[in-house]
Amino acid sequence: EAQVTQNPRYLITVTGKKLTVTCSQNMNHEYMSWYRQDPGLGLRQIYYSMNVEVTDKGDVPEGYKVSRKEKRNFPLILESPSPNQTSLYFCASSLGGSGNQPQHFGDGTRLSIL
Amino acid sequence: GQSLEQPSEVTAVEGAIVQINCTYQTSGFYGLSWYQQHDGGAPTFLSYNALDGLEETGRFSSFLSRSDSYGYLLLQELQMKDSASYFCAVRPYSSASKIIFGSGTRLSIRP
């Protein structure tokens, strides 16, 4: 089954404790992206990747890191999480970076930073 | 700056037709996409308009007018399962690989 898999689905942690949210897709997609979703603000792009070893900042990259060492994986790293990073996070992938390629989303990761 | 404006909430009656608008302020973009998200779920792709005009997919249609900086999603024969949030999204010319989403419209369907 074609899918985007995120782990963990839920995480409660404390300020400053490094964490990684993993994202994996099995569709051989080139484009992958991370979003955060907050009430009233919709989906805001954190980072995206056009292909292996090619990443770039979205609209809200501060406090986050990503890597794309393999085509299928695109982990999101919070080196020193803070309470303002409490949010619902989605990973997504698409075949390419052009506008007519639909994004396929994972089920989301709900992070709470205390 | 670049922004997409949507009404925050819309209410409609089962069986009726509803239009969800998306107005934008951006220097140019590759096309307008629409996504649906049910409560507790992930966004799923609905439609894409590369050119001006109407695109129809079953009960859902999407429209784009670049000259009016405006697009909309039209849902016909509304069903209770259509209760969800709907987001418009664009890839701007200024950064073709970045994606900008609107803040979303929560659609509530009444029996």
Side-chain angles (χ1 to χ4, degrees), chain A residues 31 37 45 50 97 99 103, chain B residues 35 37 42 48 91 97-99:
Chain A
Y31 186 93
Q37 185 172 31
Q45 193 172 39
M50 290 294 292
Q103 295 266 287
Chain B
Y35 288 80
Q37 184 181 28
Y48 175 75
R91 291 183 199 252
S97 298
K98 186 182 286 190
I99 301 176

Side-chain angles (χ1 to χ4, degrees), chain A residues 56-73:
Chain A
D56 209 345
K57 297 177 181 178
D59 282 334
V60 288
E62 294 77 20
Y64 304 95
K65 286 174 58 176
V66 292
S67 68
R68 188 91 182 273
K69 294 186 172 64
E70 306 164 284
K71 198 171 187 178
R72 63 183 292 124
N73 295 323

